[in-house]
Amino acid sequence: MGDFNPYQAPDAEVHDPQDGVLMLAGRGARLAARLFDGLTQVLVLVPGLMMFVVAISKTRIPDEALVSASVLLTAALVLGLLAVNCYCLHRSRQTLGKKVMGIKIVGHDGSRVSLAKIIGLRMLAMLLLELIPGIGPIVGVANVLMIFQDEQRCLHDRLAGTIVVQA
């Protein structure tokens, strides 16, 4: 009777029923993450823009020092947000919005995707396609609408070979 402890942890192996199964992120979670990311981008621009408006509205001649300071502040805040998002993408494959929503980017097979692939194919390639005169806006709309297919993969997911899953 000396070996029995009623307070010890059970000896049975516990398996998570979701082991090895990737659960696609919901469309609503992806939209909310994108909206959150967009809101943070706007909020980063506000201080510099407010300073710029004050600089050019004081007199007929804008205050050059204040204009320069507003441009530098805006650039510093934008680069700061970019650095934070790159760090988060590198570390956990999540932007700030994806982190808040509990979703992340993985390879189509569930593997870890390189930061270069995320930035190069998911972001920059789409940006360049959307800048093409005439077809850019069509590509942008098609990119978003592709989420309604069964696989829930946008054009940028297909270009990069990625999916967005629950973290």
Side-chain angles (χ1 to χ4, degrees):
M1 186 130 186
D3 291 339
F4 177 73
N5 179 355
Y7 303 106
Q8 75 184 19
D11 291 332
E13 289 186 43
V14 179
H15 295 284
D16 183 357
Q18 299 297 325
D19 276 348
V21 177
L22 295 174
M23 299 295 295
L24 287 177
R27 293 176 183 101
R30 289 185 71 170
L31 175 62
R34 183 61 195 109
L35 291 173
F36 184 91
D37 287 337
L39 181 62
T40 59
Q41 292 164 1
V42 168
L43 291 176
V44 158
L45 295 174
V46 168
L49 290 175
M50 287 175 55
M51 187 185 287
F52 182 77
V53 168
V54 168
I56 63 172
S57 65
K58 279 188 153 189
T59 62
R60 289 184 171 202
I61 301 171
D63 182 343
E64 290 181 25
L66 200 51
V67 169
S68 296
S70 70
V71 170
L72 289 174
L73 175 64
T74 302
L77 291 173
V78 167
L79 289 174
L81 179 61
L82 181 64
V84 167
N85 270 323
C86 282
Y87 173 77
C88 290
L89 282 167
H90 172 70
R91 187 163 184 254
S92 62
R93 301 309 179 248
Q94 298 170 302
T95 61
L96 295 176
K98 282 181 174 52
K99 189 173 284 291
V100 167
M101 295 309 300
I103 60 178
K104 68 180 181 178
I105 303 165
V106 296
H108 187 52
D109 59 356
S111 62
R112 185 172 173 87
V113 181
S114 72
L115 180 61
K117 189 179 243 188
I118 291 172
I119 292 173
L121 294 175
R122 279 181 64 95
M123 297 175 180
L124 290 178
M126 282 307 303
L127 175 65
L128 293 174
L129 286 172
E130 290 174 0
L131 290 175
I132 297 172
I135 67 164
I138 297 167
V139 170
V141 170
N143 179 40
V144 173
L145 291 178
M146 287 177 75
I147 191 84
F148 294 106
Q149 294 178 331
D150 289 339
E151 289 186 328
Q152 297 184 24
R153 294 176 70 204
C154 296
L155 180 57
H156 61 264
D157 291 312
R158 292 182 184 280
L159 287 173
T162 60
I163 57 176
V164 179
V165 298
Q166 294 176 4

